[in-house]
Amino acid sequence: MKEISRGLTAVLLVFTMIFSFTGCGEINKAEKTVNGLFASLKQADLEKISEYMNVADLMNAGDEEDSFISNPETFMQSMFKQLDYKIVSSEKIDNSTVEVTVDITNIDMKPVFTDFFARAIQYAFSSSLSSAQQPTEEETSQKMEEMFIESVTKPNLATVTNTAVITVVKGEDKVWNIESDDDFLNALLGGMYDAIQTIQLKTALAALNK
């Protein structure tokens, strides 16, 4: 009887180890994907980034038509020069989904967008008063991009750390990719979404108070 019991215990241990290794393997692959993404972002390597996530998601939440960014490499070199991260934990959701919690440190976009918005307002005001021919839409977009790069590359910019849960999914081709959502992109971009919403709210309140 003891031998049977020992045998069952051994079998259960084997199965436990198998399931444990399987789970660890999926978590390792998901974390490898996250590590690969951040390494590619720091290098502003568009081709490598596209292996891990949709690059368009970095350009105005995937809406390329409304984005004034014409040079993604320059944008990312400026945006991610202080990028850092730390994997806090990982949780296997199912055989094809792992959620990786990451602390992401980047330039704090709130003061950057405050500066950029002030530049943009001044540019618009000066253009409207100018007797010269009004700038074209293309010229305006180019100027906006230049001003944004100037704002985000100012010296001694503060950084901020945000925590995000990154969903990593194994596709039908068995390749692990990152599913972008607003929380992850906001953390990755140093709170850019929060900064834009704050400015939009201030602008709306100012309009109401006129």
Side-chain angles (χ1 to χ4, degrees):
M1 192 69 178
K2 288 183 178 181
E3 291 180 358
I4 294 175
S5 179
R6 288 174 182 173
L8 289 172
T9 301
V11 170
L12 289 173
L13 285 172
V14 169
F15 275 110
T16 300
M17 291 176 66
I18 290 173
F19 287 125
S20 176
F21 287 138
T22 301
C24 287
E26 288 156 348
I27 286 175
N28 287 338
K29 290 176 181 177
E31 290 185 353
K32 183 178 179 181
T33 298
V34 171
N35 288 326
L37 171 66
F38 278 91
S40 302
L41 288 169
K42 289 181 178 182
Q43 296 168 6
D45 189 333
L46 284 171
E47 186 175 349
K48 290 293 292 182
I49 293 169
S50 65
E51 295 179 7
Y52 303 109
M53 67 176 290
N54 184 1
V55 176
D57 289 341
L58 294 173
M59 305 294 118
N60 198 28
D63 191 350
E64 293 176 311
E65 293 184 359
D66 291 339
S67 176
F68 59 76
I69 303 301
S70 63
N71 191 327
E73 289 88 352
T74 300
F75 171 77
M76 284 189 283
Q77 287 169 358
S78 304
M79 277 295 305
F80 301 131
K81 61 184 179 181
Q82 297 191 55
L83 181 65
D84 198 7
Y85 74 104
K86 178 183 178 182
I87 294 177
V88 177
S89 63
S90 298
E91 180 182 359
K92 175 184 172 183
I93 305 304
D94 54 45
N95 290 335
S96 60
T97 307
V98 175
E99 291 185 346
V100 183
T101 301
V102 183
D103 284 342
I104 304 174
T105 301
N106 203 354
I107 298 168
D108 187 351
M109 294 306 296
K110 288 183 179 179
V112 169
F113 258 86
T114 298
D115 180 69
F116 167 65
F117 186 67
R119 290 170 184 257
I121 291 295
Q122 181 61 42
Y123 171 75
F125 183 71
S126 299
S127 297
S128 66
L129 295 179
S130 175
S131 59
Q133 183 177 357
Q134 292 298 302
T136 64
E137 184 176 339
E138 182 178 352
E139 290 171 337
T140 299
S141 293
Q142 183 178 352
K143 185 63 178 179
M144 290 295 170
E145 182 173 6
E146 291 174 1
M147 290 189 294
F148 178 77
I149 296 300
E150 288 173 3
S151 295
V152 81
T153 55
K154 291 176 68 174
N156 304 317
L157 291 173
T159 60
V160 63
T161 299
N162 293 295
T163 302
V165 177
I166 303 175
T167 302
V168 191
V169 178
K170 180 172 64 175
E172 293 181 359
D173 54 2
K174 296 185 179 180
V175 175
W176 290 82
N177 288 289
I178 289 169
E179 289 190 346
S180 302
D181 59 28
D182 286 353
D183 288 339
F184 165 55
L185 291 172
N186 185 56
L188 181 62
L189 298 172
M192 180 182 286
Y193 287 15
D194 292 340
I196 292 173
Q197 289 178 355
T198 298
I199 288 174
Q200 289 175 336
L201 179 60
K202 288 182 178 179
T203 302
L205 290 173
L208 288 173
N209 291 328
K210 284 185 178 181

